[in-house]
Amino acid sequence: MAQILVLGGTAWLGRAVVRQALAQGHEVTCLARGDRPAPDGARLVAADRHDGTIEPYAALPDTSWDLVIDVARQPGQVRGALAALSDRAAHWVFVSSISVYADHSRPDADESAPLLPALIGDVAQAEEYGAGKVACEQAVIGARGPHALIARPGLIAGHGDPSDRFGYWPGRFALAAERAEPVLVPDRTDRACQWIDVRDLAAWLVTAGVGGTTGVMDAVGPATTLEAVLYAAIAAAGFSGRVVRAGDEALREAGVEEFMGPRSLPLWLSDPAWAGFLDRSGAAAAAAGLGHRPLTETVGDALAWERELGLGRPRAGAGLDRPDELALIAALTH
Ligand SMILES: NC(=O)c1ccc[n+]([C@@H]2O[C@H](COP(=O)([O-])OP(=O)(O)OC[C@H]3O[C@@H](n4cnc5c(N)ncnc54)[C@H](OP(=O)(O)O)[C@@H]3O)[C@@H](O)[C@H]2O)c1
């Protein structure tokens, strides 16, 4: 049994990490601000890391950790944790992102691709997410040299997803199936699509971390196509209605955004500058044991989560509100 400290553990991926660690028989402590609970079976230590100092970590037991897993986005928080805890941690995993890369146009790129310039300062604003993660990675490498695992996930999918992206498709087909209505999809479904199931990622972060795996690795699934995701979503939703296809230009003219955000079609990426974003190599993590469940399972989990949230809800993070989608379909097919 390993003593694992999760810096985080109360949100989505962090909770999944904690659950996987507990299921593997480890003892887990989480450090977070304390407004949200940690999963049952884990100890939660409440502390606020926002000032980037070592002070918040004084709330933790004065012990050594077999593994620390940090999901932070803020360089100051990452530096503070390393200063306070690195000497007492046998293994360290930092959850970064493929958003660290400077260029997303090239399919099959790997970890050798150039990165964004690192953020200067302790706090990354939302639009500085990638540069902030670069600075976090540099802090980890600065403190631990090669003795850390830096995992760069791509799009994470599955139950509990707060981003409204991957789940949009099974959720939308399910809503349309209930109402016997059509669904709007991008015409080009042959473009690459890639995700990592939250449970597969969490399990790997724990096993690789406990096992002492080190290095920098893109944590992504095998690349397939948007078509494969849409077919799986249609099957999971039991949808047998009409699919209305719209070309890139028509969607853009209608003001529909790509990939994410308000009034978007999730996972639709027509901009050549993003042609490789959902199409990374992933060979290093695969060689280090990152495995993947079938797409049908991830889509099923995402659909269950969408049903819990409410299929007809306004789309906060990504997707089209249903009335807007129907109006677009009417305008595109008049
Ligand atoms: N979603 C994706 O598709 C995707 C893709 C690539 C990479 N990622 C990465 O995957 C990770 C996702 O982590 P997550 O789902 O667990 O969500 P998150 O929202 O990024 O997790 C933040 C965690 O840190 C804690 N926290 C935040 N501010 C804090 C503070 N000032 N002091 C102490 N604790 C604080 C939060 O807990 P409290 O709020 O309870 O304090 C929460 O447990 C992130 O590293 C993200 O960058 C995500």
Side-chain angles (χ1 to χ4, degrees):
M1 182 200 284
Q3 295 290 331
I4 298 180
L5 172 63
V6 178
L7 298 173
T10 57
W12 182 38
L13 174 62
R15 289 186 76 81
V17 165
V18 173
R19 286 203 194 93
Q20 289 291 339
L22 293 169
Q24 291 180 26
H26 304 303
E27 195 160 300
V28 184
T29 300
C30 302
L31 185 140
R33 284 168 292 189
D35 299 337
R36 297 183 276 189
D40 286 347
R43 171 171 46 176
L44 175 63
V45 172
D48 193 331
R49 307 170 68 189
H50 78 276
D51 66 0
T53 67
I54 60 171
E55 298 305 324
Y57 310 94
L60 289 166
D62 185 15
T63 184
S64 296
W65 304 97
D66 298 306
L67 172 63
V68 174
I69 300 179
D70 190 1
V71 300
R73 298 155 191 256
Q74 302 299 351
Q77 294 182 11
V78 171
R79 288 186 201 109
L82 288 158
L85 301 168
S86 184
D87 287 351
R88 290 190 276 136
H91 300 298
W92 196 280
V93 173
F94 177 67
V95 178
S96 185
S97 165
I98 59 165
S99 294
V100 293
Y101 293 109
D103 176 73
H104 295 284
S105 65
R106 203 164 57 82
D108 209 33
D110 64 18
E111 295 80 2
S112 64
L115 304 183
L116 291 168
L119 182 89
I120 296 176
D122 284 346
V123 179
Q125 305 303 318
E127 66 278 10
E128 297 170 320
Y129 171 66
K133 284 288 196 184
V134 175
C136 294
E137 291 189 3
Q138 288 184 354
V140 174
I141 292 164
R144 299 192 62 91
H147 306 294
L149 172 59
I150 294 176
R152 296 173 175 160
L155 176 72
I156 306 173
H159 190 272
D161 183 359
S163 80
D164 274 355
R165 291 176 292 191
F166 189 92
Y168 174 82
W169 291 108
R172 186 45 46 98
F173 282 115
L175 180 66
E178 281 175 6
R179 299 177 179 178
E181 291 173 344
V183 172
L184 179 66
V185 306
D187 191 31
R188 287 280 310 273
T189 52
D190 57 323
R191 294 192 178 109
C193 194
Q194 188 175 45
W195 61 92
I196 174 77
D197 185 283
V198 65
R199 288 186 290 163
D200 294 335
L201 175 59
W204 179 70
L205 292 170
V206 173
T207 50
V210 170
T213 299
T214 57
V216 181
M217 299 180 203
D218 293 341
V220 296
T224 173
T225 58
L226 178 58
E227 178 126 326
V229 175
L230 296 186
Y231 271 122
I234 286 170
F239 177 81
S240 58
R242 190 163 58 104
V243 168
V244 176
R245 291 176 174 269
D248 295 339
E249 210 43 56
L251 289 172
R252 273 193 289 272
E253 276 172 17
V256 177
E257 299 293 330
E258 303 193 22
F259 190 64
M260 63 183 279
R263 209 156 187 269
S264 62
L265 272 186
L267 315 190
W268 169 50
L269 277 177
S270 75
D271 184 343
W274 292 90
F277 187 64
L278 298 177
D279 197 2
R280 298 199 69 82
S281 156
L290 176 58
H292 308 287
R293 70 195 59 225
L295 169 60
T296 49
E297 273 186 42
T298 305
V299 167
D301 285 358
L303 178 54
W305 175 239
E306 285 286 320
R307 290 192 192 282
E308 284 176 41
L309 294 175
L311 297 178
R313 73 189 186 284
R315 308 295 304 191
L320 295 172
D321 289 344
R322 184 61 177 158
D324 190 15
E325 183 193 10
L326 290 173
L328 280 169
I329 289 173
L332 289 162
T333 57
H334 72 272

